[in-house]
Amino acid sequence: MYSLSELEQLCSECKKCRLCSTRKNAVFGEGSDRADIMFIGEGPGEQEDLQGRPFVGKAGKLLDKGIEALGLSRESVYIANIVKCRPPGNRVPEDDEAASCIEYLRWQVKLIDPKVIVLLGSTAGRNIIGKDFRITRQRGNVIEFGKFKIVPTYHPAAVLRDDTKKADFWSDLKLAVKIYGQIKNC
Ligand code: URA
């Protein structure tokens, strides 16, 4: 059994896929190691790669707004990605890259043991729920996944590109918190 800091160290030295050759920093994830709500995105962008932190660019600012609007703080949740290294040009991670990296995420979920997992976008959905995952069809629903409740929603970058997704994005985040409230009060 690894600790989060041991895993982070392993990630920083990882050479399991080609993304290691272009990264400036691996972006392990951050937040509370006892978070009840975990957000999972696709992979680091330019700013994340430079700073070694998840969701610190424009999409991250929108995610921050959402987290704050829910009465939460970035420090109280946990934020991670499917792949820990930036795909060049922010392309979607290849299946083999995601497959090499997903073990780190599995450990993170196991150690943090969140109650609710919010999947941000279709890459997160496809790699966690399955290859048939469709964001437009499955967002806004609660998916029972073993002991976890999963709420898929749009990736914040997609919301920034298309304003019409904003209302659904907010309502999905609110759903995640509502579900969490129900679990907590059980
Ligand atoms: N997009 C993601 O999916 N993850 C980040 O960390 C930043 C942007």
Side-chain angles (χ1 to χ4, degrees), residues 18-178:
R18 63 188 80 77
L19 297 181
C20 69
S21 62
T22 45
R23 73 168 174 236
K24 296 205 168 50
N25 290 290
V27 179
F28 180 65
E30 69 180 23
S32 167
D33 57 5
R34 298 172 54 207
D36 285 328
I37 303 181
M38 181 166 181
F39 293 84
I40 301 178
E42 177 175 295
E46 185 181 20
Q47 280 308 312
E48 290 78 17
D49 179 52
L50 287 170
Q51 297 182 41
R53 297 180 56 211
F55 282 99
V56 289
K58 276 190 200 151
K61 298 281 168 281
L62 181 62
L63 181 60
D64 285 352
K65 264 197 199 171
I67 291 171
E68 276 161 35
L70 297 172
L72 304 169
S73 64
R74 235 181 119 103
E75 295 70 37
S76 69
V77 300
Y78 197 90
I79 306 174
N81 281 306
I82 296 292
V83 293
K84 311 302 193 206
C85 298
R86 182 190 184 202
N90 297 346
R91 64 162 170 74
V92 174
E94 304 283 353
D95 285 350
D96 65 323
E97 294 161 353
S100 325
C101 211
I102 202 85
E103 200 59 24
Y104 294 118
L105 186 61
R106 286 212 186 94
W107 276 105
Q108 283 173 302
V109 171
K110 196 174 165 60
L111 288 164
I112 294 160
D113 197 23
K115 305 265 185 296
V116 178
I117 299 176
V118 181
L119 299 182
L120 300 168
S122 55
T123 299
R126 286 182 68 246
N127 284 285
I128 291 186
I129 306 292
K131 295 296 169 212
D132 293 333
F133 177 84
R134 291 289 172 275
I135 190 74
T136 44
R137 210 180 325 131
Q138 280 167 277
R139 61 139 287 278
N141 291 298
V142 181
I143 300 171
E144 308 271 344
F145 198 79
K147 62 197 278 210
F148 306 109
K149 306 250 190 267
I150 293 191
V151 178
T153 190
Y154 293 119
H155 191 286
V159 180
L160 287 176
R161 283 194 299 270
D162 177 1
D163 221 36
T164 65
K165 293 190 165 73
K166 211 175 210 168
D168 286 341
F169 178 67
W170 293 130
S171 82
D172 297 346
L173 294 189
K174 277 192 255 164
L175 174 66
V177 170
K178 184 174 148 201

